[in-house]
Amino acid sequence: QQPVQSPQAVILREGEDAVINCSSSKALYSVHWYRQKHGEAPVFLMILLKGGEQKGHEKISASFNEKKQQSSLYLTASQLSYSGTYFCGTEGGANNLFFGTGTRLTVIP
Amino acid sequence: DTGVSQDPRHKITKRGQNVTFRCDPISEHNRLYWYRQTLGQGPEFLTYFQNEAQLEKSRLLSDRFSAERPKGSFSTLEIQRTEQGDSAMYLCASSWGAAEAFFGQGTRLTVV
């Protein structure tokens, strides 16, 4: 039930954009996105519910296509502070929360 | 409220010993999750409570692992007869319903 994320890793220069994808083999009720910095706990970014909505958080936004059971996280004009590992969490019918394997994002000057 | 707290932050134990970890969720949260995370991997689901009821337990979890959440407040995760493969960060998270989950700082377990 673990969602699959791609890419596994990406390196960006400051100001560049990135897209991180998350897909599940199960029907989804919601998708959560988190960022984790080395040695710290995952920090919540946003949650998307059924309905194909798109949300934004400053220069970070996400979309959720429930029919395709996919979500994408968009990072625009990346900043050094965006570096970290991004995880998607998917919630299916049982109301539990499964996380993907993560995408390591490195932003360099 | 200071968020989700976990205790201890670090635990070193000898193989074969039992260990118990505690998680205090955000007080009004009804859901509580336990995850295990190893280096370079995502949080691996272990178990999940809604109030005091344990609703799901990972099939990957051996019988050496048990969790409780008495009265729907704090939770404990016990690992019996620890093995070196149990070495990992154990994360607890809580949420109100399907809203965002907040993570604690985790308990790092090292089995020697």
Side-chain angles (χ1 to χ4, degrees):
Chain A
Q1 302 185 49
Q2 183 180 37
V4 177
Q5 287 184 235
S6 64
Q8 290 186 330
V10 59
I11 299 174
L12 299 174
R13 292 198 178 277
E14 269 188 295
E16 292 182 338
D17 303 338
V19 180
I20 299 171
N21 300 303
C22 173
S23 64
S24 173
S25 59
K26 304 281 187 180
L28 300 176
Y29 286 84
S30 67
V31 178
H32 304 222
W33 285 96
Y34 289 79
R35 177 172 59 210
Q36 185 176 32
K37 293 186 180 284
H38 183 70
E40 300 179 7
V43 173
F44 174 80
L45 294 176
M46 65 186 74
I47 183 173
L48 301 102
L49 306 177
K50 282 174 62 173
E53 64 176 293
Q54 184 153 349
K55 277 194 172 180
H57 181 265
E58 296 183 346
K59 294 178 181 178
I60 301 175
S61 62
S63 62
F64 175 28
N65 186 324
E66 64 189 84
K67 289 183 180 178
K68 292 186 177 180
Q69 296 155 196
Q70 294 175 346
S71 177
S72 294
L73 185 72
Y74 307 93
L75 300 104
T76 58
S78 58
Q79 306 168 14
L80 294 175
S81 62
Y82 286 4
S83 292
T85 301
Y86 289 78
F87 296 103
C88 67
T90 55
E91 182 173 2
N95 297 326
N96 48 24
L97 190 59
F98 290 94
F99 285 91
T101 52
T103 296
R104 183 185 296 273
L105 177 73
T106 304
V107 181
I108 58 176
Chain B
D1 191 15
T2 56
V4 179
S5 62
Q6 292 188 242
D7 183 71
R9 292 291 305 278
H10 303 274
K11 178 72 176 178
I12 300 174
T13 190
K14 291 184 178 180
R15 190 174 53 184
Q17 298 293 306
N18 300 343
V19 293
T20 300
F21 309 142
R22 178 181 170 119
C23 171
D24 286 275
I26 293 173
S27 58
E28 63 268 24
H29 284 182
N30 59 348
R31 293 189 186 181
L32 187 147
Y33 307 86
W34 283 100
Y35 295 91
R36 176 172 61 190
Q37 188 176 31
T38 53
L39 194 63
Q41 300 297 313
E44 176 191 10
F45 173 79
L46 295 179
T47 190
Y48 153 64
F49 291 85
Q50 177 133 329
N51 300 311
E52 66 274 12
Q54 186 174 19
L55 297 187
E56 188 164 344
K57 185 176 176 180
S58 170
R59 286 188 290 268
L60 300 175
L61 215 58
S62 76
D63 291 340
R64 297 184 297 108
F65 287 72
S66 62
E68 294 181 342
R69 193 185 181 195
K71 302 179 183 178
S73 55
F74 71 93
S75 177
T76 58
L77 177 70
E78 181 183 17
I79 308 174
Q80 295 182 329
R81 304 180 304 281
T82 52
E83 302 171 356
Q84 285 191 320
D86 296 332
S87 295
M89 176 72 83
Y90 289 82
L91 293 167
C92 173
S94 71
S95 70
W96 174 252
E100 63 266 32
F102 292 88
F103 281 85
Q105 291 299 308
T107 295
R108 181 171 296 283
L109 173 67
T110 303
V111 182
V112 297

